[in-house]
Amino acid sequence: MNQHHRRVLMKTITVAALLLSPVALFAAAITEVTVYPDRAQVTRVGEFDLAAGENRLEIGPLPVDLDDNSVRAAATAAGPVTLHEVAVRRLAREQVRDPEVARLEQQLLDLRDQRAALDARQRVLDQQRDLLGQIKIKAAAEATRDIQLNKFDLAQLRDLPGWLADEFTKLETANAGLTAERRDLDHKIRVAEADYNKRRAAAARAEKTAIVTLHAAAATKSKLRLSYVLGNAGWTPLYEARARADARGVDFSYHATVRQQTGEDWRGVKLTLSTARPAIGARMPELSKWIVDFMQVMPMAAPVAAGKMMRMNAMSDEASVAMEQAAPPQEMQIEQGVTAVSFHVPRPADVPSDGEPHRQTIATETLPASFVYETTPKLSPFAYLKAATTNNTAAPLLGGPVHIFVGPDFVGTGSIATVAPTEPFDLFLGVDEGLRVKREELKDKAGKAGLFRNRQKKVFAYKITV
């Protein structure tokens, strides 16, 4: 066995010993989170007392979906401390009796009991309706017989239909009330089931822990930073474009919608949003060789194009003045890296693990713009206002939806492609209701021309009125 194989074997034995030996479980709070478009890097920090010699710390519980290869640890202390090993262990545990799971379960049981009570009331109403139906049939038969025998009571015949109508009306009113109660209760049950199943699934999931081996020259207190990358998290851009009343520019807001369902809540964390995409990889893809041969045919891809416009309402100058007096939103610190841009949220952020969108404001800028009208009279009688502007921010604008406002009025939703800093781009601000475009066909004539050759000739004439 050579030296390399011996080192690999000793490292494997050391890791196996770490995973099998019992160690105390320590907690480390989540302090920093960097969210990428399709994943997140979580950093935990904890302070621990180290004894002289070797120390093994098991940090957890950690999400089961974390990438084992991404786990990193760093330690600082007053005295000399050496970090020897970091290993990840998976714990297949039984379901933990979460108090919140018990509360949601009891809430669901109570709602189902209420549903059962409504079903019982419905059965009583159905029985009453059947009984009234039998009474109606029997009374009609007896009335017919009495009439034939000249033994009928005229007053009784008059009262019976009215009484039956009143009873059927009461039953229909009660049935309608039960239907409304059942509909509302079914909605509450669906919501309660979704909350219960989500929480119960989170409690029943397996866990992972990180075992960190440290060597301290003397007893000391150490601060440990543990970071890892996991999926089920990401952020997407969202923009708001608001046309200014003075027609000098566009107030452009850059937002980020953060979602995560990692199984752990991020409370009061230092949040950073990054445009980097770790999933793509660091190595540039290489083109494969093309071999030209008489027997091969190289197909060509067809170009694809798409476009969309939005509708709008009229702009209010008074609302624009009031808008200028509103309190400014938070703005993030923008850090331009070599290959990506990072946005640092200036305050502690909360992002629970609920899969719901949580919006953060990145920046708000006033972009200089020139406004022009564009129209396609053949397809639409409207004139669309377009703002030709430039990205004068320090960060790229990633492709995403744009909510369009004119003054305080929301007029529609559009989208933009990725725009680099200093790159020009267009924003369509919708329809100007004060303008109409009319297209009239004046001439559409076809004929033949030429003395020796027959050539087809077509003449078109249109009148465009704005």
Side-chain angles (χ1 to χ4, degrees):
M1 180 181 295
N2 57 32
Q3 189 69 20
H4 173 70
H5 290 166
R6 186 178 292 108
R7 285 197 303 268
V8 172
L9 179 61
M10 292 301 297
K11 184 174 182 180
T12 303
I13 294 175
T14 302
V15 172
L18 289 174
L19 296 178
L20 296 176
S21 60
V23 293
L25 185 65
F26 297 92
I30 299 176
T31 59
E32 301 176 18
V33 178
T34 299
V35 184
Y36 302 102
D38 59 350
R39 63 195 62 202
Q41 177 176 295
V42 178
T43 300
R44 293 174 176 261
V45 176
E47 293 187 357
F48 309 97
D49 294 325
L50 301 181
E54 185 177 277
N55 297 264
R56 287 199 299 273
L57 304 175
E58 186 171 12
I59 311 299
L62 305 177
V64 70
D65 296 328
L66 67 84
D67 184 356
D68 294 1
N69 297 323
S70 69
V71 178
R72 297 290 183 269
T76 58
V81 173
T82 304
L83 178 63
H84 284 308
E85 199 74 46
V86 179
V88 178
R89 174 161 65 177
R90 181 187 178 97
L91 302 178
R93 61 182 176 86
E94 296 180 356
Q95 177 178 336
V96 176
R97 191 62 181 176
D98 188 350
E100 183 64 15
V101 173
R103 187 191 69 80
L104 292 174
E105 182 180 11
Q106 185 60 47
Q107 178 185 3
L108 184 58
L109 291 175
D110 293 341
L111 292 174
R112 286 174 175 171
D113 290 342
Q114 297 177 30
R115 185 64 165 80
L118 289 181
D119 292 340
R121 290 169 55 188
Q122 184 65 57
R123 288 193 295 270
V124 172
L125 290 179
D126 293 340
Q127 292 173 0
Q128 292 177 351
R129 185 183 292 104
D130 293 341
L131 179 60
L132 285 176
Q134 295 175 8
I135 292 174
K136 179 180 178 181
I137 295 173
K138 186 175 181 180
E142 291 180 355
T144 302
R145 184 189 62 190
D146 292 343
I147 291 174
Q148 292 174 352
L149 298 176
N150 292 325
K151 296 180 180 180
F152 63 93
D153 185 349
L154 185 59
Q156 183 179 1
L157 288 177
R158 290 174 178 174
D159 294 340
L160 183 59
W163 177 79
L164 286 174
D166 291 341
E167 293 300 318
F168 274 115
T169 301
K170 293 178 182 178
L171 285 178
E172 293 302 324
T173 302
N175 187 72
L178 276 179
T179 301
E181 291 184 42
R182 190 184 302 112
R183 182 173 58 250
D184 295 340
L185 193 58
D186 288 343
H187 174 70
K188 293 180 181 179
I189 289 176
R190 287 193 297 269
V191 173
E193 286 177 343
D195 294 341
Y196 171 71
N197 292 332
K198 182 188 296 186
R199 191 78 183 197
R200 187 170 179 266
R205 294 176 65 186
E207 294 176 348
K208 287 183 178 180
T209 60
I211 302 177
V212 182
T213 304
L214 301 164
H215 185 275
T220 184
K221 182 180 290 291
S222 175
K223 177 181 288 187
L224 181 68
R225 291 175 58 90
L226 184 75
S227 64
Y228 50 87
V229 175
L230 70 171
N232 294 325
W235 74 278
T236 54
L238 175 65
Y239 306 98
E240 289 182 3
R242 193 181 303 267
R244 295 176 60 90
D246 55 11
R248 295 181 179 177
V250 174
D251 292 332
F252 197 79
S253 298
Y254 192 170
H255 304 285
T257 300
V258 183
R259 288 183 174 89
Q260 69 104 348
Q261 204 165 2
T262 62
E264 55 185 13
D265 294 335
W266 304 337
R267 301 291 185 184
V269 300
K270 181 180 179 182
L271 186 64
T272 300
L273 308 176
S274 176
T275 61
R277 293 184 177 272
I280 296 179
R283 183 179 178 85
M284 182 183 70
E286 296 182 1
L287 293 173
S288 59
K289 296 179 179 180
W290 283 15
I291 301 177
V292 179
D293 196 342
F294 291 106
M295 300 300 296
Q296 295 181 355
V297 177
M298 304 300 295
M300 296 182 62
V304 178
K308 189 175 182 181
M309 291 188 177
M310 302 74 64
R311 300 179 63 250
M312 65 170 283
N313 297 319
M315 179 169 55
S316 171
D317 294 337
E318 296 179 358
S320 301
V321 174
M323 183 179 57
E324 293 176 354
Q325 299 173 353
Q330 72 162 14
E331 293 194 5
M332 299 189 186
Q333 299 175 357
I334 302 176
E335 180 182 348
Q336 178 69 55
V338 177
T339 59
V341 178
S342 297
F343 308 102
H344 303 284
V345 178
R347 58 175 180 80
D350 293 336
V351 183
S353 179
D354 55 7
E356 298 297 326
H358 300 273
R359 195 168 79 167
Q360 301 286 341
T361 300
I362 294 178
T364 300
E365 299 284 346
T366 299
L367 305 180
S370 58
F371 297 91
V372 296
Y373 286 102
E374 291 190 355
T375 182
T376 52
K378 183 178 180 179
L379 303 178
S380 172
F382 301 108
Y384 293 83
L385 180 62
K386 185 181 77 171
T389 183
T390 302
N391 178 17
N392 61 2
T393 67
L397 304 178
L398 304 181
V402 183
H403 295 332
I404 307 297
F405 293 83
V406 176
D409 300 323
F410 174 71
V411 299
T413 300
S415 63
I416 62 172
T418 300
V419 182
T422 71
E423 181 181 357
F425 67 102
D426 295 332
L427 284 172
F428 279 95
L429 303 177
V431 174
D432 190 334
E433 297 289 350
L435 294 178
R436 285 292 185 272
V437 182
K438 184 179 180 182
R439 177 179 180 267
E440 298 178 79
E441 182 179 296
L442 300 180
K443 184 181 295 185
D444 184 356
K445 183 179 179 182
K448 296 181 179 180
L451 182 61
F452 300 102
R453 293 183 182 180
N454 289 331
R455 290 181 297 176
Q456 296 293 331
K457 181 180 180 182
K458 291 186 177 182
V459 179
F460 301 96
Y462 300 96
K463 179 182 178 182
I464 307 296
T465 305
V466 179

Coordinates of all heavy atoms in Angstrom, one line a residue, residues 30 42 44 61-65 93 98 198-199 201-203 205-207 228 230-233 260-266 351-355:
I30 N -28.9 30.9 13.0 CA -28.8 31.4 11.6 C -28.6 32.9 11.7 O -29.5 33.6 12.2 CB -30.0 31.0 10.7 CG1 -30.1 29.5 10.7 CG2 -29.8 31.6 9.3 CD1 -31.4 29.1 9.9
V42 N -26.6 29.3 3.7 CA -27.0 29.7 5.1 C -25.7 29.6 5.9 O -24.9 28.7 5.8 CB -28.1 28.7 5.6 CG1 -28.4 29.0 7.1 CG2 -29.3 28.8 4.7
R44 N -24.5 29.8 10.0 CA -24.8 29.7 11.4 C -23.6 30.1 12.2 O -22.5 29.7 11.8 CB -25.3 28.3 11.8 CG -26.6 27.9 11.1 CD -27.0 26.4 11.4 NE -28.3 26.0 10.9 CZ -29.4 26.0 11.7 NH1 -29.3 26.3 13.0 NH2 -30.5 25.6 11.1
P61 N -30.2 20.7 14.8 CA -30.4 20.0 13.6 C -30.3 20.9 12.3 O -30.6 22.0 12.4 CB -31.9 19.5 13.8 CG -32.5 20.5 14.6 CD -31.4 21.0 15.6
L62 N -29.9 20.2 11.2 CA -29.8 20.9 9.9 C -30.7 20.3 8.9 O -31.1 19.2 9.0 CB -28.3 20.8 9.4 CG -27.2 21.3 10.4 CD1 -25.8 21.1 9.7 CD2 -27.4 22.8 10.7
P63 N -31.1 21.1 7.9 CA -32.0 20.5 6.9 C -31.4 19.3 6.2 O -30.3 19.3 5.9 CB -32.2 21.7 5.9 CG -31.9 22.9 6.7 CD -30.8 22.5 7.6
V64 N -32.3 18.4 5.9 CA -31.9 17.2 5.2 C -31.5 17.4 3.7 O -30.7 16.6 3.2 CB -33.0 16.1 5.3 CG1 -34.2 16.5 4.4 CG2 -32.4 14.7 4.9
D65 N -32.0 18.5 3.1 CA -31.7 18.8 1.7 C -30.4 19.6 1.5 O -30.2 19.9 0.3 CB -32.9 19.6 1.1 CG -34.2 18.8 1.1 OD1 -34.1 17.6 1.0 OD2 -35.3 19.4 1.3
R93 N -34.8 10.1 12.1 CA -35.5 10.1 13.4 C -37.0 9.9 13.2 O -37.5 10.1 12.1 CB -35.2 11.5 14.1 CG -35.7 12.7 13.3 CD -35.4 14.0 14.0 NE -35.8 15.1 13.3 CZ -37.0 15.7 13.3 NH1 -37.9 15.2 14.1 NH2 -37.3 16.8 12.6
D98 N -44.4 18.0 17.7 CA -44.3 19.5 17.7 C -45.6 20.0 18.3 O -46.7 19.6 17.9 CB -44.2 20.0 16.3 CG -43.9 21.4 16.2 OD1 -44.0 22.1 17.2 OD2 -43.6 21.9 15.0
K198 N -48.4 20.4 6.1 CA -47.1 21.0 5.9 C -46.3 20.9 7.1 O -45.1 20.6 7.1 CB -47.3 22.5 5.4 CG -46.0 23.2 5.2 CD -46.3 24.7 4.9 CE -47.1 24.9 3.7 NZ -47.2 26.4 3.4
R199 N -46.9 21.3 8.3 CA -46.2 21.2 9.5 C -45.8 19.8 9.9 O -44.7 19.6 10.4 CB -47.0 21.9 10.6 CG -46.3 22.2 11.9 CD -45.4 23.4 11.8 NE -44.6 23.7 13.0 CZ -44.0 24.8 13.3 NH1 -44.1 25.8 12.4 NH2 -43.3 25.0 14.4
A201 N -45.3 17.2 7.9 CA -44.3 16.7 7.1 C -42.9 17.3 7.5 O -41.9 16.6 7.5 CB -44.6 17.1 5.6
A202 N -42.9 18.6 7.9 CA -41.6 19.2 8.4 C -41.1 18.5 9.6 O -39.9 18.3 9.8 CB -41.8 20.7 8.6
A203 N -42.1 18.1 10.5 CA -41.7 17.5 11.8 C -41.2 16.1 11.6 O -40.4 15.5 12.4 CB -42.9 17.5 12.8
R205 N -39.6 14.9 8.9 CA -38.5 14.7 8.0 C -37.2 14.3 8.8 O -37.1 14.6 10.0 CB -38.2 16.1 7.3 CG -39.3 16.5 6.4 CD -39.0 17.8 5.8 NE -37.8 17.8 5.0 CZ -37.2 18.9 4.4 NH1 -37.8 20.1 4.6 NH2 -36.2 18.8 3.7
A206 N -36.3 13.7 8.1 CA -35.1 13.3 8.7 C -34.2 14.6 8.8 O -34.6 15.7 8.3 CB -34.3 12.3 7.8
E207 N -33.2 14.5 9.6 CA -32.3 15.6 9.8 C -30.9 15.3 9.5 O -30.5 14.1 9.3 CB -32.4 16.1 11.3 CG -33.7 16.6 11.7 CD -33.7 16.9 13.2 OE1 -32.8 16.5 13.9 OE2 -34.7 17.6 13.7
Y228 N -23.6 26.3 4.7 CA -23.9 25.2 3.7 C -24.9 25.8 2.7 O -25.5 26.8 2.9 CB -24.6 24.1 4.5 CG -25.7 24.5 5.5 CD1 -27.0 24.6 5.0 CD2 -25.4 24.7 6.8 CE1 -28.0 25.0 5.9 CE2 -26.4 25.1 7.7 CZ -27.7 25.2 7.2 OH -28.7 25.6 8.1
L230 N -28.2 24.9 0.1 CA -29.4 24.0 0.0 C -30.4 24.6 -1.0 O -30.3 25.8 -1.3 CB -30.1 23.8 1.3 CG -30.8 24.9 2.0 CD1 -31.6 24.4 3.2 CD2 -29.9 26.0 2.5
G231 N -31.2 23.8 -1.5 CA -32.2 24.2 -2.5 C -33.5 24.6 -1.9 O -33.6 25.0 -0.7
N232 N -34.6 24.6 -2.7 CA -35.9 25.0 -2.3 C -35.9 26.5 -1.8 O -36.6 26.8 -0.8 CB -36.5 24.1 -1.1 CG -36.7 22.7 -1.6 OD1 -37.1 22.5 -2.8 ND2 -36.4 21.7 -0.8
A233 N -35.1 27.3 -2.4 CA -35.0 28.7 -2.1 C -34.6 29.5 -3.3 O -33.9 28.9 -4.2 CB -34.1 29.0 -0.9
Q260 N -38.8 30.7 0.1 CA -38.0 29.6 0.6 C -38.9 28.6 1.3 O -39.8 29.0 2.0 CB -36.8 30.1 1.5 CG -37.2 30.6 2.8 CD -37.0 29.7 3.9 OE1 -36.7 28.5 3.7 NE2 -37.0 30.2 5.1
Q261 N -38.5 27.3 1.1 CA -39.3 26.2 1.8 C -38.2 25.2 2.1 O -38.3 24.0 1.8 CB -40.4 25.7 0.9 CG -41.5 25.0 1.6 CD -42.7 24.8 0.7 OE1 -42.7 25.1 -0.4 NE2 -43.8 24.3 1.3
T262 N -37.2 25.6 2.9 CA -36.1 24.7 3.3 C -36.4 24.0 4.5 O -35.6 23.1 4.9 CB -34.8 25.6 3.5 OG1 -35.0 26.5 4.5 CG2 -34.5 26.4 2.2
G263 N -37.4 24.3 5.3 CA -37.7 23.6 6.5 C -37.2 24.4 7.7 O -37.4 24.0 8.9
E264 N -36.5 25.5 7.5 CA -36.0 26.3 8.6 C -36.3 27.8 8.4 O -36.2 28.3 7.2 CB -34.5 26.2 8.8 CG -33.6 26.4 7.6 CD -32.2 26.1 7.8 OE1 -31.8 25.5 8.8 OE2 -31.4 26.6 6.9
D265 N -36.8 28.5 9.4 CA -37.2 29.9 9.2 C -35.9 30.8 9.4 O -35.1 30.5 10.2 CB -38.2 30.3 10.3 CG -39.5 29.5 10.1 OD1 -39.8 29.1 9.0 OD2 -40.3 29.4 11.1
W266 N -35.9 31.8 8.6 CA -34.8 32.8 8.7 C -35.4 34.0 9.4 O -36.2 34.7 8.9 CB -34.3 33.2 7.3 CG -33.8 32.0 6.5 CD1 -33.4 30.8 6.9 CD2 -33.8 31.9 5.0 NE1 -33.1 30.0 5.9 CE2 -33.3 30.7 4.7 CE3 -34.0 32.8 4.0 CZ2 -33.1 30.2 3.4 CZ3 -33.9 32.4 2.7 CH2 -33.4 31.2 2.4
V351 N -37.6 35.7 6.7 CA -38.2 35.0 5.6 C -38.5 33.6 6.2 O -37.7 32.7 6.3 CB -37.2 34.8 4.5 CG1 -37.8 34.1 3.3 CG2 -36.7 36.2 4.0
P352 N -39.8 33.4 6.5 CA -40.2 32.1 7.0 C -40.2 31.0 5.9 O -40.3 31.3 4.7 CB -41.6 32.3 7.6 CG -42.1 33.5 6.8 CD -40.9 34.4 6.5
S353 N -40.2 29.8 6.3 CA -40.2 28.6 5.4 C -41.6 28.3 5.1 O -42.1 27.2 5.5 CB -39.4 27.4 6.0 OG -39.5 26.3 5.1
D354 N -42.3 29.1 4.3 CA -43.7 28.9 4.0 C -43.9 28.9 2.5 O -45.1 28.7 2.0 CB -44.6 30.0 4.6 CG -44.1 31.4 4.3 OD1 -43.2 31.6 3.4 OD2 -44.7 32.3 4.9
G355 N -42.9 29.1 1.7 CA -43.1 29.1 0.2 C -43.8 30.3 -0.3 O -44.0 30.4 -1.5

